[in-house]
Amino acid sequence: PSLFARTGWTIGVLFTLYSAVLTYFTGVILGEICTLHPRLHSYPLIAEEAFARLGTGGDPTVPRRELQGLIGKRFVQAIQFACFFLTGIAELIFFQQYLAQLFSKYDVCQRGWLLIAAGFALPFMMVPTFRESRWPAVVALVLLCGNQVVFFYEVFHVAPWNSCDVPPAWSHVTPLTVIHGVTGIGYAFGGHGLFPEQIREMAHPERWTTVMRWIYAIVTPLYLAMGLLGYYAYGRNAQANLNANYPNNIPNQASIIFQSFQEVYYILASGLVLVLQVELALGVSPYAVCSYDVRQKSANGLGEGEVELAETDHPDRRPERGLTSEGYSSGSNDSISAECSSESSSREGSGGGLADWISLRACGVPPVGFRLIFRTIFLGSQTFIASLMLGGNGDVLLAVQSLAGAVGYMMMTYVLPLLFGWVLLPRVSTWRCALYAVSFVVCTLLAIAGVIFDTQELVEASGGFGQGVSCEVKEDLSYEDGCIAALGRAALANASAVMAGAAGAVAAI
């Protein structure tokens, strides 16, 4: 709803539908690339291959342009890091607000709640890979369904368009607010930047298209229903933290509890794709505990799941299958072990080097110790930057989400998969080719404009460590009155003043 408040009715609905169609296709494209080229099991690896082949005309006899591919890989790694780093910050800010709403009677400042939120999230940041995160994801999905029920209940329970002194007021839309809004919608449809890493850990990656169909069949109607109904109910007062529009009642409290548990998973998912890249590049297996020898084999040979995969999986994947450093079968995670093994072999051949010092291997720190230190520092850096942004302000939340959408999600979801598919996959139909070409140009321009204007908005909304920083998260996060929560105290105060003035005029007559 807060994004529709920025785009208005028409643009919000049209861009949501356009995003659903385009990002469904780009998600399928990434799945097809990962299935056709199993060794390209991360977004940067796909980028490297696509940029290396760009300009060769698809001719296998033309040498790959290695430097061009490396530049493309580094570019994608940069925007992927910025995107998911900002996403983690946004989720920390959400988590902070939920805790402040739940425990509003406690005298804790917003930076205090931010530290508490980070403390809750830290143990979950130690989850090794996406495969192990599937159980928190299931819990988050169940709680998400409960949140949708609470949303519809709260909207119709208060019914601000009917029960309040003034009806909801719609936003005055400008080109600048539209840019902020559409890049925010890009954030909502984002996630493609970690699709290859998730496909890598699927037992049956060939079923990815089915996954995409289910996702979009559920998410697209839900986005439209919540966006339209929420904007109709709350108008321009629609908050990024939607619970701030609900009255402080039991369903809202239950929803905030659900959201708090969900945030733990969201913080994990956005950070996992980044910390895994660094750890794998340093040859640190996410499964290793004390030994760095990622090629260590179990005395019992292949695990049951691995035998099944070796017999049934794509032949190109079989050389990548192996066991983790501790001898456990990881099934579809074995490409992770292979990558670690490759890094380890290259270091042994060169006598070690900087990676040994960065990973603290040279200091005798075991893999589990390095992961604990590195992931704690990673989450701590997000917490520090979030504290500079002062997450208690809804405008900050919208600005962070829109900037993440512009920096990474627009490029990695709307733009780059089109380029990857054009280079690495067979040609598509003429109408899809035309859609992709137009979308590539339009979404690239939106991403550039979004980075410029969303950065400016974020700088203006952030308080830093200045004297004007308020201790409280936000004054109106927990109103008992449903109309004040839905429409804002200022709107109702103005309406009351107008009504009092009109009554006075009538009495004078």
Side-chain angles (χ1 to χ4, degrees):
S2 62
L3 298 175
F4 277 25
R6 292 189 165 203
T7 61
W9 296 102
T10 304
I11 296 177
V13 171
L14 291 179
F15 194 77
T16 299
L17 291 173
Y18 166 76
S19 296
V21 173
L22 180 63
T23 61
Y24 169 79
F25 283 134
T26 56
V28 170
I29 286 172
L30 291 173
E32 291 176 348
I33 291 173
C34 292
T35 303
L36 189 62
H37 307 281
R39 64 186 178 83
L40 305 179
H41 53 75
S42 73
Y43 206 99
L45 287 178
I46 294 176
E48 182 178 24
E49 184 68 16
F51 278 97
R53 292 190 186 184
L54 188 63
T56 63
D59 188 349
T61 62
V62 178
R64 297 171 74 256
R65 301 178 179 182
E66 302 294 342
L67 178 60
Q68 186 173 285
L70 181 61
I71 293 173
K73 178 182 179 181
R74 298 300 182 224
F75 168 72
V76 164
Q77 284 178 322
I79 63 173
Q80 188 182 47
F81 184 89
C83 173
F84 289 111
F85 193 83
L86 285 170
T87 299
I89 290 174
E91 301 305 338
L92 277 169
I93 291 171
F94 270 118
F95 197 6
Q96 170 219 12
Q97 288 196 1
Y98 295 143
L99 291 176
Q101 287 178 269
L102 278 175
F103 305 103
S104 56
K105 65 179 181 180
Y106 292 97
D107 188 20
V108 179
C109 288
Q110 54 181 324
R111 290 198 179 104
W113 288 121
L114 193 61
L115 290 175
I116 294 171
F120 274 116
L122 181 59
F124 293 89
M125 283 295 295
M126 303 304 147
V127 171
T129 69
F130 285 106
R131 182 177 178 82
E132 288 73 26
S133 72
R134 66 191 184 278
W135 299 117
V138 170
V139 174
L141 181 61
V142 172
L143 296 177
L144 181 63
C145 294
N147 283 326
Q148 312 316 310
V149 174
V150 172
F151 167 78
F152 289 105
Y153 168 81
E154 294 287 7
V155 168
F156 289 107
H157 172 68
V158 177
W161 60 87
N162 186 45
S163 62
C164 299
D165 293 335
V166 292
W170 316 131
S171 304
H172 174 63
V173 176
T174 66
L176 187 58
T177 63
V178 168
I179 291 175
H180 294 320
V182 297
T183 52
I185 293 174
Y187 180 96
F189 279 95
H192 291 47
L194 53 77
F195 280 179
E197 285 80 355
Q198 292 177 324
I199 295 170
R200 171 184 67 196
E201 300 182 26
M202 289 177 63
H204 300 283
E206 69 279 0
R207 298 178 183 175
W208 179 252
T209 301
T210 302
V211 173
M212 291 296 296
R213 288 172 184 162
W214 275 103
I215 289 173
Y216 279 78
I218 296 171
V219 166
T220 303
L222 195 60
Y223 277 174
L224 287 172
M226 293 188 67
L228 290 171
L229 182 59
Y231 185 41
Y232 181 75
Y234 306 129
R236 62 189 178 200
N237 191 54
Q239 303 293 317
N241 174 4
L242 203 53
N243 292 84
N245 285 122
Y246 304 159
N248 189 20
N249 54 19
I250 292 177
N252 189 15
Q253 294 293 316
S255 175
I256 294 172
I257 293 173
F258 296 164
Q259 301 264 34
S260 298
F261 281 105
Q262 288 173 240
E263 287 305 327
V264 171
Y265 172 73
Y266 297 153
I267 293 168
L268 164 66
S270 60
L272 199 54
V273 66
L274 302 180
V275 296
L276 276 176
Q277 280 195 35
V278 176
E279 290 166 0
L280 294 177
L282 295 174
V284 180
S285 169
Y287 297 103
V289 177
C290 296
S291 172
Y292 275 98
D293 184 7
V294 298
R295 294 160 299 166
Q296 176 183 343
K297 301 297 181 182
S298 169
N300 297 326
L302 292 176
E304 179 180 351
E306 191 173 28
V307 172
E308 181 182 352
L309 283 165
E311 292 175 349
T312 62
D313 205 8
H314 192 288
D316 288 347
R317 282 183 176 267
R318 291 173 190 163
E320 297 182 353
R321 300 294 178 184
L323 293 180
T324 67
S325 61
E326 299 304 305
Y328 302 113
S329 174
S330 63
S332 57
N333 282 330
D334 294 326
S335 58
I336 293 178
S337 299
E339 187 167 339
C340 287
S341 179
S342 174
E343 293 290 340
S344 177
S345 300
S346 64
R347 278 194 312 277
E348 289 173 3
S350 61
L354 182 61
D356 288 337
W357 289 101
I358 296 176
S359 65
L360 304 180
R361 182 184 294 102
C363 302
V365 176
V368 66
F370 170 75
R371 289 198 305 273
L372 176 63
I373 295 170
F374 170 60
R375 295 190 181 195
T376 300
I377 293 174
F378 179 85
L379 181 62
S381 65
Q382 290 180 307
T383 305
F384 174 74
I385 295 177
S387 70
L388 294 178
M389 295 179 179
L390 284 171
N393 188 315
D395 291 333
V396 168
L397 265 177
L398 283 173
V400 173
Q401 288 179 312
S402 296
L403 182 58
V407 170
Y409 289 128
M410 291 295 293
M411 292 299 295
M412 292 191 295
T413 301
Y414 291 74
V415 177
L416 288 175
L418 301 177
L419 175 64
F420 300 160
W422 182 64
V423 175
L424 300 176
L425 295 178
R427 293 292 177 259
V428 296
S429 61
T430 303
W431 75 268
R432 281 178 64 178
C433 187
L435 172 65
Y436 293 168
V438 173
S439 298
F440 185 89
V441 175
V442 171
C443 294
T444 299
L445 294 176
L446 279 176
I448 295 172
V451 169
I452 296 172
F453 294 114
D454 292 335
T455 301
Q456 178 183 356
E457 183 188 34
L458 181 59
V459 170
E460 293 173 353
S462 299
F465 288 119
Q467 297 297 318
V469 174
S470 172
C471 175
E472 294 185 5
V473 174
K474 199 176 182 185
E475 181 185 359
D476 57 350
L477 278 181
S478 300
Y479 279 128
E480 302 290 340
D481 186 282
C483 288
I484 295 178
L487 304 179
R489 184 186 293 276
L492 293 179
N494 292 336
S496 298
V498 170
M499 292 175 64
V506 170
I509 293 174

